Amino acid sequence: MSAQLDRLKKRADFLRVAGLRRKWAAPGLILQAAPCPTKDPQADSLRVGFTVSKKVGNSVCRNRARRRLRAAVAEIFPSRATPGLDYVVIGRRETLDRPYSLLLQDLATALKRLGALRVEPAATAPAAQGEK
């Protein structure tokens, strides 16, 4: 089951997610998470925002870091992130030079540490069938 990725664009959403102080810092990125503010969040919708500060470098470097983060999120989040949460991914200086496979690993670890890693009931079903 994959979820639809939507974008956080308003500053108020970024501040709300940061205000809950639920975050995990990995070498390649920082991931923040907060519950969706709507009373009836869509079951398969994920909202993600990206930010990279000027500490990372000039505009070329910041845009490259943002593109790498968007690609990593597009690969990991649809199948592994818990719906009903808003996420903010913050780029770091290491985002630029970190190997892509380690960036993916950082993102998966951050999801796990925040308790936002989706639990797949189908993953336990084959093990139960093998015991018969």
Side-chain angles (χ1 to χ4, degrees), residues 78-95:
S79 61
R80 299 180 73 185
T82 303
L85 293 174
D86 288 345
Y87 300 93
V88 173
V89 183
I90 303 171
R92 305 179 90 178
R93 199 169 283 137
E94 292 82 12
T95 305

Side-chain angles (χ1 to χ4, degrees), residues 23-68:
K23 69 179 180 178
W24 181 257
L29 56 89
I30 299 171
L31 180 67
Q32 299 175 329
C36 231
T38 59
K39 294 177 183 170
D40 186 27
Q42 295 177 354
D44 61 347
S45 178
L46 297 165
R47 297 192 327 158
V48 184
F50 299 92
T51 184
V52 181
S53 75
K54 287 187 177 181
K55 287 182 186 178
V56 173
N58 61 15
S59 63
V60 174
C61 294
R62 293 193 308 267
N63 288 331
R64 181 169 178 257
R66 200 174 294 116
R67 282 193 305 271
R68 294 188 85 211

Side-chain angles (χ1 to χ4, degrees), residues 84-124:
L85 293 174
D86 288 345
Y87 300 93
V88 173
V89 183
I90 303 171
R92 305 179 90 178
R93 199 169 283 137
E94 292 82 12
T95 305
L96 292 170
D97 300 323
R98 194 149 172 88
Y100 187 69
S101 60
L102 292 179
L103 205 56
L104 293 175
Q105 186 178 349
D106 288 347
L107 195 55
T109 301
L111 280 172
K112 182 178 177 183
R113 295 292 184 152
L114 288 176
L117 194 62
R118 182 183 296 176
V119 178
E120 292 292 336
T124 58

